[in-house]
């Protein structure tokens, strides 16, 4: 009611100024007749004042409902922030709330700019997510939908594997996703999400959106995908609700014309087929059919299959050659008495996993050091060599040096002891955190022959090997996959995987092309060490054979 009390004087001054103005110019007191006009004027002003009071009360009621809802939501969310934001819908809705809905709330109560809350909100809004953040979160949801083959309803009702905080999407949320897809000329996803919004409206969900708006987008998206008959069906539904809808009436005539045109074309083609059939003699031998060529599965499809756990399985014979062992790296003094557990993950390329290799205490320290420095992860442009952001690498990363914290130096030494490789020429420990739908699409860690200057500025040669720590478990998704060979390595907190990117000859092993699958549910933290060629001359001797 603070806003109301502060604004009432303004209204009173306005009313008094109006009355004084009328009085000054018309001398109403000299005529009862004129004074009766003032009664009606005052009555109208009182009516307007009551309307204002009702509007203010409604406004305060809306603000109260919003505050109660957010109070409950934030209380739940802050109990387990990473778990809560591990659900991609929660992350998307957070972007949407802070970028759009808090702005709407600000506009609602902005009438009193001296209010402390509004002043604070206005200051804080400069740090809120932008339109780009909201769009990015929405596109991440669409990416997850495709990669993990989820229907819109599954995402909308929050029925995702391993979720801790189930979250429902409103009609407005579904509509927002559809609109973002539409603005990206992505009519496939526009249809999916507008259809979901319509479904929820049909089920009776209360919404400020009307079916006409949703049907307008839906019919157009379907038309753009070439299904004119279905587009016509939805256009008719729209016109049942709004017979005067100008665009829909125009589309109705156009769709009917196009369908008639298609029908005539089909009939003409049928007649031609009949004519050709008559000319063919029954003695004519049929040409033997060519055997269908085996189509190689595109890399993108293999990548998504592996992310879903649908990878190519090893033969039993190959699997029988994979072992687990206690490992001391040729009796390294650090591990003679306490060897580490090591297991084979894949044979070609040879990928091994070290178990319980980084403690929870070390993980928390690494995350603590990295969090203030996390920045959008970059990739090296293969043409210019310049570091830049890319839509196929969605994460934030930070670099930690050994001299700034003894624990980082200890971790670096552990990698050296277990791999037998020199760390002085390796890159610093890179820590990465993947957000909603976070991923890194298929790539090589080493520089190829067409990238001779990939690591020239480092002066340490090519990346000979990769060491990757998993610093969190992931409820769903987030695997490291190797599409060319069908390998999938799943995150397991406290473990690390290791593989060579180069053969002993120095040639690149192209089978090590790998990717980080989108995180479906959960929060993925990893840290990696890229180890370079220089300094390894006596630790990993060269071979003469290119593939040795």
């Amino acid at each position: 009611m603070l806003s109301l009390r502060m604004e009432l004087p303004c209204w009173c001054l306005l009313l008094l100024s109006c009355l004084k103005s009328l009085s000054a110019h018309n001398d109403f007191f000299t005529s009862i007749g004129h004074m009766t006009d003032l009664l009606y004027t005052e009555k109208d002003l009182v009516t307007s004042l009551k309307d204002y009071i009702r509007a203010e009360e409604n406004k305060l009621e809306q603000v109260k409902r919003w505050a109660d809802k957010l109070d409950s939501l934030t209380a739940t969310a802050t109990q387990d922030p990473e778990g809560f934001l591990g659900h991609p819908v929660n992350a998307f809705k957070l972007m949407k709330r802070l970028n759009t809905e808090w702005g709407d709330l600000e506009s609602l109560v902005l009438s009193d700019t001296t209010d402390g809350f509004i002043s604070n909100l206005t200051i804080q809004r400069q740090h809120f997510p932008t339109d780009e953040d909201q769009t990015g979160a929405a596109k991440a949801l669409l990416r997850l939908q495709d990669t993990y083959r989820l229907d819109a309803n599954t995402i909308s009702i929050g029925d995702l594997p391993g979720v801790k905080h189930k979250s429902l999407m409103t009609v407005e949320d579904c509509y927002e996703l559809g609109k973002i897809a539409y603005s990206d000329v992505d009519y496939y996803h526009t249809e999916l999400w507008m259809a979901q919004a319509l479904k929820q409206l049909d089920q009776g969900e209360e919404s400020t959106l009307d079916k006409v708006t949703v049907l307008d987008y839906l019919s157009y998206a379907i038309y753009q995908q070439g299904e004119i008959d279905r587009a016509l069906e939805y256009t008719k539904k729209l016109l049942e609700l709004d017979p005067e809808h100008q665009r829909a009436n125009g589309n109705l005539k156009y769709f009917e014309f196009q369908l008639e045109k298609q029908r005539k074309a089909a009939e003409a083609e049928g007649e031609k087929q009949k004519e050709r059939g008559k000319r063919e003699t029954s003695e004519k031998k049929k040409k033997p059919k060519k055997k269908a060529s085996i189509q190689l599965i595109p890399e993108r499809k293999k990548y998504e299959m592996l992310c879903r756990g649908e990878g190519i399985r090893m033969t039993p014979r190959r699997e029988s050659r994979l072992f687990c062992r206690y490992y001391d790296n040729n009796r390294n003094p650090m591990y003679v008495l306490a060897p580490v557990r090591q297991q084979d993950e894949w044979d070609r390329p040879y990928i091994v996993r070290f178990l319980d290799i980084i403690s929870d205490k070390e993980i928390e320290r690494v995350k603590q050091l990295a969090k203030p420095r996390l920045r959008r992860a970059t990739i090296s442009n293969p043409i210019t060599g310049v570091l830049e952001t890319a839509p196929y690498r969605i994460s934030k990363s930070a670099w930690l040096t050994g001299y700034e914290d003894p624990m980082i130096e200890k971790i670096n030494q552990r990698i050296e002891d277990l791999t037998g490789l020199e760390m002085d020429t390796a890159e610093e420990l890179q820590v990465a955190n993947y957000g909603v739908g976070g991923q890194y699409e298929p790539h090589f860690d080493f520089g190829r022959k067409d990238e001779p200057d990939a690591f020239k500025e480092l002066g340490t040669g090519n990346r000979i090997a990769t060491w990757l720590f998993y610093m969190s478990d992931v409820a769903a998704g987030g695997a490291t996959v190797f599409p060319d060979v069908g390998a999938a390595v799943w995150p397991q907190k406290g473990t690390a995987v290791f593989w060579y990117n180069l053969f002993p000859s120095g040639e690149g092993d192209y089978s090590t092309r790998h990717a980080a699958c989108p995180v479906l549910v959960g929060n993925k933290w990893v840290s990696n060490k890229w180890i370079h060629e220089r300094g390894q001359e006596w630790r990993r001797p060269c071979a003469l054979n290119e593939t040795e």
Side-chain angles (χ1 to χ4, degrees), residues 156 169-178 193-194 196-197 200:
S156 184
M169 293 182 72
T170 63
V171 170
E172 286 82 1
D173 293 333
C174 298
Y175 173 76
E176 182 70 23
L177 275 181
W193 285 100
M194 289 301 174
Q196 181 62 28
Q200 291 179 207

Side-chain angles (χ1 to χ4, degrees), residues 29 31 45 99 109 136 162 183 223 235 259 263 270 312 319 341 353 380 401 427 462 470 486 502 509-510 537 543:
F29 70 96
S31 168
L45 288 172
N99 182 48
V109 293
S183 64
Y223 159 68
T235 302
L259 282 173
R263 187 185 63 78
I312 303 164
E319 263 189 357
R341 290 185 296 154
R353 188 196 294 263
S380 177
T401 58
E427 294 177 47
N462 211 342
Y470 291 113
L502 306 179
D509 183 353
Y510 283 80
E537 291 83 0

